[in-house]
Amino acid sequence: NAGVTQTPKFRILKIGQSMTLQCTQDMNHNYMYWYRQDPGMGLKLIYYSVGAGITDKGEVPNGYNVSRSTTEDFPLRLELAAPSQTSVYFCASSPRRSGNTIYFGEGSWLTVV
Amino acid sequence: DAKTTQPNSMESNEEEPVHLPCNHSTISGTDYIHWYRQLPSQGPEYVIHGLTSNVNNRMASLAIAEDRKSSTLILHRATLRDAAVYYCILRDGAGGGNKLTFGTGTQLKVEL
């Protein structure tokens, strides 16, 4: 059981480039999330999805886009990368209802230079 | 989103119990109290969660105040591997994706 899988683990981008962070879960979870974590800080929610075809903004959505075409996949797209997007990105998934555990991926380290 | 307040850091000696406090005075009736921890260079890891009653699992215990405005995570015998940032989080039970809103957490240091 792989859980939540993120790729790539490390990436260096140049300012203005675009890329997609991939996230896949094999637990048939309805809810999926993207968080970013800056050094010494807690995680901030970028986007979330409650099911295929449904996405919504979190706390810090600017500069990012998401899609949810299947239950398993929740890719995060960075358009026109900026140095402020240098961060660690975590994908997570959960069954419905707040009494359930959220499972996190191992993270993707992104540097924009 | 309801907020939580935790001390920035705490220290413990190995093999001793650790009590990590959390205040959440604006908690709503549908919010679950979750605790996660994060080791260096890793994603957050689930520790325990509860709604109203105290909870125990193999990792820890969660003591919830009767008015639910505070809670305490109890590690019964701290080990060096328990050194991490511990997040106390209210998970919105009213819908909207049941999001977790992270604060800055408590950095737990465990010494020999």
Side-chain angles (χ1 to χ4, degrees):
Chain A
N1 190 344
V4 179
T5 302
Q6 294 181 231
T7 56
K9 192 167 180 65
F10 299 97
R11 182 71 186 269
I12 298 174
L13 274 182
K14 293 184 178 179
I15 294 172
Q17 287 185 322
S18 300
M19 75 160 297
T20 299
L21 297 176
Q22 302 291 344
C23 177
T24 298
Q25 54 92 8
D26 61 359
M27 297 172 283
N28 200 33
H29 288 166
N30 295 101
Y31 292 175
M32 295 190 74
Y33 311 86
W34 273 107
Y35 287 88
R36 61 174 285 175
Q37 185 175 34
D38 298 329
M41 305 296 287
L43 282 71
K44 293 187 184 298
L45 182 65
I46 305 171
Y47 270 96
Y48 67 98
S49 169
V50 299
I54 305 169
T55 62
D56 208 345
K57 296 178 180 178
E59 185 181 358
V60 289
N62 291 342
Y64 307 94
N65 280 300
V66 294
S67 60
R68 184 96 181 269
S69 57
T70 67
T71 299
E72 295 79 18
D73 300 310
F74 191 42
L76 177 71
R77 177 84 177 160
L78 280 73
E79 304 283 1
L80 299 174
S84 60
Q85 293 178 304
T86 295
S87 191
V88 183
Y89 292 83
F90 292 100
C91 180
S93 74
S94 167
R96 282 199 190 102
R97 294 193 295 276
S98 60
N100 288 306
T101 302
I102 291 185
Y103 298 84
F104 286 83
E106 295 185 344
S108 295
W109 273 252
L110 176 66
T111 301
V112 181
V113 295
Chain B
D1 294 327
K3 302 296 185 187
T4 62
T5 303
Q6 301 176 251
N8 288 332
S9 64
M10 293 186 65
E11 293 184 5
S12 174
N13 294 319
E14 200 175 23
E15 303 295 314
E16 290 185 354
V18 181
H19 291 233
L20 298 170
C22 181
N23 288 315
H24 30 79
S25 59
T26 60
I27 191 171
S28 72
T30 56
D31 288 341
Y32 277 79
I33 302 161
H34 283 245
W35 284 81
Y36 285 74
R37 70 180 186 182
Q38 187 175 24
L39 279 66
S41 300
Q42 293 189 24
E45 173 190 30
Y46 169 79
V47 178
I48 200 167
H49 77 278
L51 184 61
T52 57
S53 303
N54 294 343
V55 183
N56 300 296
N57 67 21
R58 63 174 181 82
M59 291 183 68
S61 295
L62 176 61
I64 301 173
E66 193 169 339
D67 63 5
R68 301 215 318 133
K69 293 185 177 182
S70 65
S71 61
T72 302
L73 177 70
I74 303 165
L75 306 179
H76 296 286
R77 293 179 65 191
T79 70
L80 296 177
R81 288 176 295 179
D82 292 322
V85 178
Y86 286 79
Y87 294 100
C88 168
I89 304 160
L90 301 182
R91 191 171 186 198
D92 184 1
N98 300 142
K99 302 178 290 294
L100 289 178
T101 301
F102 286 79
T104 52
T106 297
Q107 174 71 62
L108 176 64
K109 300 175 184 176
V110 181
E111 299 177 344
L112 290 171

